[in-house]
Amino acid sequence: MVGHLLGGSPEQHPDRYRAASPPEMLPLGVKQRLIHGLDDNIVPISISRAYVEAARAKGDDATLTELRGAGHFELIDPRSAAWPAVRDAIKNAIG
Protein backbone atom coordinates (compact mmCIF):
# COMPACT_ATOMS: atom_id res chain seq x y z
CA MET A 1 0.00 0.00 0.00
CA VAL A 2 2.77 2.48 0.90
CA GLY A 3 4.65 1.45 -2.21
CA HIS A 4 1.70 2.49 -4.36
CA LEU A 5 1.51 5.84 -2.61
CA LEU A 6 5.22 6.56 -2.95
CA GLY A 7 5.62 5.08 -6.41
CA GLY A 8 7.83 2.12 -5.56
CA SER A 9 9.87 0.43 -2.86
CA PRO A 10 12.26 2.03 -0.37
CA GLU A 11 15.14 0.71 -2.46
CA GLN A 12 13.76 2.41 -5.57
CA HIS A 13 12.91 5.74 -3.91
CA PRO A 14 14.76 6.16 -0.61
CA ASP A 15 14.37 9.94 -0.82
CA ARG A 16 10.58 9.65 -0.96
CA TYR A 17 10.49 7.32 2.02
CA ARG A 18 12.73 9.65 4.06
CA ALA A 19 10.52 12.64 3.17
CA ALA A 20 7.37 10.73 4.20
CA SER A 21 8.82 9.38 7.44
CA PRO A 22 7.58 11.21 10.56
CA PRO A 23 10.68 10.32 12.62
CA GLU A 24 12.88 11.84 9.91
CA MET A 25 11.06 15.16 10.44
CA LEU A 26 11.92 15.39 14.14
CA PRO A 27 12.16 17.60 16.05
CA LEU A 28 8.89 19.29 15.20
CA GLY A 29 8.97 21.82 18.02
CA VAL A 30 5.27 21.41 18.75
CA LYS A 31 3.32 19.48 21.37
CA GLN A 32 2.49 16.00 20.11
CA ARG A 33 -0.19 13.76 21.62
CA LEU A 34 -0.41 10.29 20.12
CA ILE A 35 -3.28 7.92 20.82
CA HIS A 36 -2.96 4.29 19.77
CA GLY A 37 -5.36 1.40 20.17
CA LEU A 38 -3.71 -1.66 21.68
CA ASP A 39 -5.88 -3.88 19.47
CA ASP A 40 -4.70 -2.15 16.28
CA ASN A 41 -3.89 -4.91 13.80
CA ILE A 42 -2.80 -2.48 11.07
CA VAL A 43 -0.14 -0.37 12.80
CA PRO A 44 1.80 -2.04 15.63
CA ILE A 45 1.96 -0.15 18.94
CA SER A 46 5.76 -0.40 18.71
CA ILE A 47 5.68 2.20 15.91
CA SER A 48 4.04 4.81 18.15
CA ARG A 49 6.23 3.92 21.14
CA ALA A 50 9.39 4.29 19.07
CA TYR A 51 8.18 7.57 17.58
CA VAL A 52 7.43 9.11 20.99
CA GLU A 53 10.80 7.96 22.30
CA ALA A 54 12.57 9.50 19.30
CA ALA A 55 10.59 12.74 19.59
CA ARG A 56 11.46 13.09 23.26
CA ALA A 57 15.11 12.31 22.57
CA LYS A 58 15.15 15.24 20.15
CA GLY A 59 13.54 17.57 22.70
CA ASP A 60 9.91 17.46 21.61
CA ASP A 61 7.02 17.36 24.08
CA ALA A 62 5.44 14.06 23.03
CA THR A 63 3.17 11.63 24.89
CA LEU A 64 1.44 8.41 23.97
CA THR A 65 -1.92 7.24 25.26
CA GLU A 66 -2.47 3.53 24.75
CA LEU A 67 -6.12 2.49 24.68
CA ARG A 68 -7.15 -1.03 25.63
CA GLY A 69 -9.94 -2.47 23.52
CA ALA A 70 -9.40 -0.03 20.66
CA GLY A 71 -8.21 -0.96 17.21
CA HIS A 72 -7.14 1.19 14.29
CA PHE A 73 -10.45 2.78 13.33
CA GLU A 74 -12.16 3.30 16.69
CA LEU A 75 -10.04 6.39 17.20
CA ILE A 76 -11.87 8.23 14.42
CA ASP A 77 -15.38 7.02 15.31
CA PRO A 78 -17.22 9.42 17.64
CA ARG A 79 -19.58 6.56 18.57
CA SER A 80 -16.78 4.31 19.84
CA ALA A 81 -15.75 3.76 23.45
CA ALA A 82 -12.35 5.19 22.51
CA TRP A 83 -13.75 8.55 21.42
CA PRO A 84 -13.81 10.28 24.83
CA ALA A 85 -10.04 9.81 25.14
CA VAL A 86 -9.55 11.26 21.66
CA ARG A 87 -11.89 14.17 22.38
CA ASP A 88 -10.15 14.93 25.67
CA ALA A 89 -6.72 14.85 24.04
CA ILE A 90 -7.88 17.32 21.41
CA LYS A 91 -9.43 19.62 24.02
CA ASN A 92 -6.28 19.55 26.11
CA ALA A 93 -4.09 20.22 23.08
CA ILE A 94 -6.00 23.29 21.98
CA GLY A 95 -6.64 24.63 25.46
Side-chain angles (χ1 to χ4, degrees):
M1 193 173 346
V2 174
H4 290 289
L5 177 67
L6 297 180
S9 71
E11 293 76 21
Q12 293 170 307
H13 301 290
D15 55 325
R16 293 178 187 176
Y17 278 78
R18 271 192 305 280
S21 171
E24 293 290 330
M25 298 176 195
L26 294 171
L28 297 180
V30 296
K31 187 187 304 186
Q32 299 166 66
R33 300 297 177 253
L34 283 73
I35 304 171
H36 199 118
L38 289 172
D39 293 339
D40 188 333
N41 60 2
I42 297 173
V43 178
I45 187 68
S46 60
I47 300 278
S48 290
R49 288 174 180 161
Y51 177 84
V52 168
E53 185 178 320
R56 288 178 180 165
K58 295 217 175 170
D60 278 348
D61 176 4
T63 63
L64 172 62
T65 300
E66 299 179 10
L67 296 181
R68 292 193 188 289
H72 191 76
F73 295 105
E74 288 83 356
L75 303 179
I76 61 168
D77 182 355
R79 299 165 297 170
S80 76
W83 187 252
V86 175
R87 180 198 60 220
D88 292 347
I90 293 168
K91 284 182 176 181
N92 288 335
I94 62 175

